[in-house]
Amino acid sequence: MSTQFSLNEKIVYPSQGVGEIKEIFERKNGDSTVQYYRIYLEVSDMIVMVPVANSEKLGLRKIVSADDAQKSLELLGQPVESVTSDWKQRYQDNLNLLKKGSIEDITNIVRTLYHRSKVKELPIQERKLYDTARKLLADEIAIALEISSKEVESMLHAKLEPLNALHEKKAIQIDDDDDDDEFGDELGGSSSSMNDDDDSDDSDESDNSDSDDNGDDDED
């Protein structure tokens, strides 16, 4: 069976982070054989095993080209349209974008939430989502442009900071978000992993039990 990704290839696992294909292997599941990717996620120091047949459904994709990475940086510095003051609606909308996982979606999450944070401090869950999206964006751009994460962080700051300066020139009307946290911790214990909607089975390198033979995969 052919696979979309190759051994040692860097990929994006939406809401989880940038990963590397460490192994492509087969495992018997009853009378059938299931092919898996073993993926290492550096940001959470975690190994996940994803059935090859489910990779498209889970949104796994290749790292973008250098041109697309540059376009995302340019988009990051564009003016932001006003967003709803209902943080719960913003959170859900941006969570859905994060799960879709295109670099444009991730860039828009970072851009709009940075902008919003200059109007009013983000609720905890939104702050976690922002941190997750920003880390994912920085890691992917670093790989695409073949530069260090530190260099990328400087570039992100340079693009976002003019939005802050723009805010300082305007009279800001602060509205009262309802900051009650009615959402569960959908971002998990780490700011870089989500446990919502995915079907993958996490597995430490030292734990190769057959409990994942059902072809599903859970995240932390």
Side-chain angles (χ1 to χ4, degrees):
M1 179 179 175
S2 62
T3 60
Q4 180 182 2
F5 306 112
S6 306
L7 193 63
N8 300 321
E9 183 177 3
K10 296 287 182 70
I11 56 94
V12 173
Y13 191 160
S15 77
Q16 291 297 315
V18 171
E20 183 175 354
I21 306 293
K22 290 296 188 181
E23 185 181 1
I24 303 173
F25 65 98
E26 295 180 347
R27 179 174 289 181
K28 293 288 286 184
N29 185 8
D31 294 331
S32 61
T33 299
V34 179
Q35 196 170 29
Y36 289 87
Y37 294 119
R38 186 186 295 274
I39 304 170
Y40 175 64
L41 301 168
E42 183 178 1
V43 68
S44 54
D45 191 24
M46 183 172 67
I47 289 285
V48 295
M49 292 190 296
V50 176
V52 170
N54 289 355
S55 60
E56 185 175 352
K57 175 183 175 183
L58 293 173
L60 269 66
R61 63 172 175 82
K62 294 178 179 291
I63 300 292
V64 296
S65 67
D67 284 346
D68 285 340
Q70 289 287 2
K71 287 177 183 177
S72 72
L73 285 169
E74 294 306 313
L75 174 60
L76 201 63
Q78 295 300 311
V80 179
E81 296 181 4
S82 59
V83 294
T84 176
S85 62
D86 180 352
W87 83 266
K88 299 180 185 72
Q89 184 61 55
R90 290 196 312 266
Y91 178 85
Q92 191 60 57
D93 290 345
N94 284 320
L95 185 61
N96 291 338
L97 288 179
L98 190 66
K99 291 174 184 176
K100 287 172 60 180
S102 75
I103 194 169
E104 182 177 354
D105 290 334
I106 295 166
T107 301
N108 278 321
I109 293 170
V110 173
R111 186 168 62 111
T112 57
L113 289 185
Y114 180 88
H115 173 87
R116 182 63 193 176
S117 73
K118 299 307 173 183
V119 176
K120 186 176 181 181
E121 183 177 358
L122 298 175
I124 293 173
Q125 290 292 67
E126 267 199 311
R127 181 69 201 189
K128 284 185 178 182
L129 193 150
Y130 170 79
D131 290 342
T132 297
R134 181 162 177 158
K135 174 62 176 170
L136 179 53
L137 181 64
D139 286 349
E140 181 168 13
I141 290 176
I143 294 170
L145 298 183
E146 298 181 348
I147 58 178
S148 69
S149 295
K150 186 175 181 180
E151 288 177 276
V152 175
E153 277 298 333
S154 296
M155 295 165 75
L156 297 186
H157 180 77
K159 291 295 183 181
L160 290 170
E161 198 56 28
L163 295 177
N164 187 23
L166 183 63
H167 259 293
E168 291 175 350
K169 293 179 181 178
K170 294 182 177 180
I172 302 173
Q173 178 180 354
I174 297 181
D175 42 43
D176 294 327
D177 283 356
D178 178 3
D179 286 352
D180 291 342
D181 190 352
E182 295 181 0
F183 288 93
D185 191 356
E186 297 185 68
L187 292 173
S190 164
S191 67
S192 58
S193 65
M194 309 281 296
N195 60 6
D196 203 82
D197 259 4
D198 292 332
D199 303 318
S200 55
D201 269 335
D202 299 350
S203 170
D204 291 330
E205 276 289 7
S206 59
D207 181 7
N208 290 324
S209 67
D210 292 335
S211 62
D212 48 20
D213 284 346
N214 58 11
D216 291 340
D217 59 323
D218 297 328
E219 288 87 41
D220 217 9

